[in-house]
Amino acid sequence: MPTASMTATNLYLSDLAPNTTQSEIRAMTVACAAVDGINLAQGVCDTDPPHPVVEAAIAAIRSGHNIYTRLDGIAPLRAAIAQKFATFNGITVDPDREVLVTSGATGALQAALLALLNPGDECLVLEPFYGYHVSTLRSQRVVPVIVPLDAPDWILDLDRLDAAITPRTRAIILNSPSNPSGKVFSQPELELLANFAIKHDLFVFTDEMYEYFIYDGARHRSIAALPGMAERTITISGFSKTFSVTGWRLGYLAADARWLPAIGYFHDLTYVCAPSPLQHGAAAGLLALPTAFYEALAVEYQTKRDELCAALTHAGLTPSIPTGAYYILADATRIPGVDAKQKARKLLADTGIAAVAGSAFFGNNADGTNRGENLLRFCFAKKSAELEEACHRLDAYGL
């Protein structure tokens, strides 16, 4: 009789699986919970959602909106998203042919990549990068090509971008405002990127999730609004951060009508549709909340940014001041540890504050070193009392 080991030769992990590890963001969240610490690692955004959003979702559940929607989302939400794109982003889209409501921005990116790129294609990724962007590319056998930006202001080097182009380059991922650096790309930088994409005939996947979190008089701009870019840009955003509903997993994208049916197919294949009653909540938010809501959001978070930056400075963890999003990269040189992961865990042990190793947002150099090993990322999307306690602990850590 053949033994189990002889007959199980087809039972093994995929080629991808052995090289995958839990993200440092989630790992630090687990470690933080184990010591009942303050989680400044994951961008959970635990502030209260706007009242109209919550009440409309509850009303939708009670009214029976608990079944599948169209794969591209309910009509009122798609119409509200199209209006928002027109007034805020300067992008004209057809709500029936060019808007897709998705299961989070991660679902939007996954479906768009499946629809538009092939295994072996290359996609340029600006560094520091959001790790889920790179991991999603790799999960689809698309090759991420890392292009570093120059610290401390994360300046774009067009020559470096040109040098990264190969015959297999098909796309570039843009994230503005950026997680983790908080960089907001300026109009001249976006024009350079647009001309670059047109010159090399590239798709642009742009993650604009933090578009309302803008500070110091900066302004969010969408690259799809530039001449010649609408046809090649997939603009991704969502409600997780703006409405403080990260657990709802509700995002959206805009794409040219040529691409949307294929993107919608792959989103339907994986998710069927975004959660029905929550779509009604998001639609109510877009329709009911005034411009003052979004302006107040930026003011509130700039105050929180300044509070945390001051505490980090006092603790000897010099921050890079972000212009957007709600994360801070800080210099962790003074914390003992051979690498950023050890430094993050040492800080958690000493203060009960969880941060993320900077190495999670950088690729390795040819010699195996990583530009993020002396950096930690802190999130300030917290309720005021908890953020104040975190700052108090950092102040004490600096003594």
Side-chain angles (χ1 to χ4, degrees):
M1 292 289 293
T3 65
S5 61
M6 293 173 60
T7 60
T9 53
N10 285 326
L11 304 182
Y12 50 82
L13 294 170
S14 72
D15 294 341
L16 288 173
N19 297 314
T20 60
T21 58
Q22 182 184 45
S23 80
E24 267 299 289
I25 297 171
R26 288 207 174 272
M28 287 307 298
T29 293
V30 171
C32 182
V35 299
D36 195 24
I38 300 176
N39 187 2
L40 302 189
Q42 189 171 6
V44 295
C45 196
D46 61 5
T47 53
D48 294 329
H51 182 76
V53 174
V54 174
E55 292 306 310
I58 294 171
I61 292 171
R62 290 174 173 160
S63 299
H65 295 291
N66 301 304
I67 61 174
Y68 301 136
T69 71
R70 280 179 37 160
L71 71 86
D72 55 354
I74 63 172
L77 180 54
R78 286 183 284 107
I81 290 169
Q83 181 60 39
K84 174 261 175 188
F85 270 126
T87 57
F88 182 74
N89 304 89
I91 305 170
T92 300
V93 295
D94 182 339
D96 294 319
R97 300 172 64 241
E98 297 178 318
V99 174
L100 177 68
V101 181
T102 62
S103 292
T106 51
L109 179 63
Q110 180 192 48
L113 292 175
L114 280 168
L116 300 176
L117 300 186
N118 293 315
D121 285 346
E122 294 178 353
C123 179
L124 305 184
V125 181
L126 303 178
E127 181 195 68
F129 49 75
Y130 178 45
Y132 274 56
H133 291 163
V134 170
S135 295
T136 301
L137 289 168
R138 288 176 175 153
S139 75
Q140 298 182 20
R141 274 79 169 182
V142 175
V143 180
V145 176
I146 310 302
V147 181
L149 302 177
D150 290 325
D153 297 321
W154 312 112
I155 301 301
L156 180 69
D157 186 328
L158 194 58
D159 290 337
R160 195 175 290 158
L161 269 177
D162 275 321
I165 287 287
T166 77
R168 295 193 301 171
T169 309
R170 296 272 326 282
I172 182 170
I173 288 183
L174 176 64
N175 183 202
S176 179
S178 168
N179 174 9
S181 70
K183 177 181 175 61
V184 177
F185 283 80
S186 66
Q187 181 77 9
E189 287 176 315
L190 290 178
E191 289 172 355
L192 283 174
L193 284 169
N195 292 334
F196 174 83
I198 292 169
K199 172 185 175 182
H200 296 286
D201 200 19
L202 305 179
F203 280 114
V204 176
F205 300 94
T206 172
D207 180 344
E208 302 181 13
M209 177 61 72
Y210 300 95
E211 58 194 342
Y212 291 109
F213 298 85
I214 300 284
Y215 318 120
D216 302 326
R219 178 186 169 191
H220 174 71
R221 294 173 171 85
S222 293
I223 195 169
L226 296 179
M229 290 304 295
E231 66 177 3
R232 67 180 64 251
T233 302
I234 289 74
T235 304
I236 298 170
S237 191
F239 305 101
S240 292
K241 317 302 184 182
T242 306
F243 292 163
S244 300
V245 289
T246 55
W248 285 20
R249 309 312 306 130
L250 200 59
Y252 57 88
L253 63 77
D256 187 272
R258 286 178 295 170
W259 319 127
L260 199 82
I263 299 171
Y265 168 82
F266 284 107
H267 187 268
D268 176 41
L269 187 66
T270 306
Y271 304 100
V272 180
C273 64
S276 175
L278 306 185
Q279 292 189 49
H280 288 269
L286 286 179
L287 294 171
L289 295 170
T291 302
F293 166 81
Y294 302 98
E295 294 171 345
L297 200 65
V299 172
E300 174 191 352
Y301 277 82
Q302 181 168 330
T303 299
K304 291 180 176 180
R305 178 203 68 173
D306 294 344
E307 182 180 3
L308 183 54
C309 282
L312 289 167
T313 300
H314 191 265
L317 307 173
T318 304
S320 175
I321 310 298
T323 310
Y326 50 55
Y327 306 99
I328 299 168
L329 285 175
D331 185 345
T333 304
R334 65 151 291 197
I335 302 176
V338 299
D339 58 24
K341 291 182 181 180
Q342 284 194 11
K343 292 172 184 286
R345 285 154 180 80
K346 174 63 173 170
L347 181 69
L348 179 62
D350 289 346
T351 67
I353 297 171
V356 182
S359 52
F361 309 102
F362 293 82
N364 289 333
N365 298 319
D367 60 1
T369 59
N370 185 293
R371 290 205 298 159
E373 294 296 13
N374 279 314
L375 295 173
L376 293 178
R377 190 199 74 172
F378 296 82
C379 172
F380 52 91
K382 307 296 292 183
K383 291 182 178 178
S384 295
E386 194 168 22
L387 185 63
E388 288 172 8
E389 174 60 22
C391 291
H392 174 73
R393 295 185 189 186
L394 287 170
D395 284 338
Y397 189 62
L399 298 177

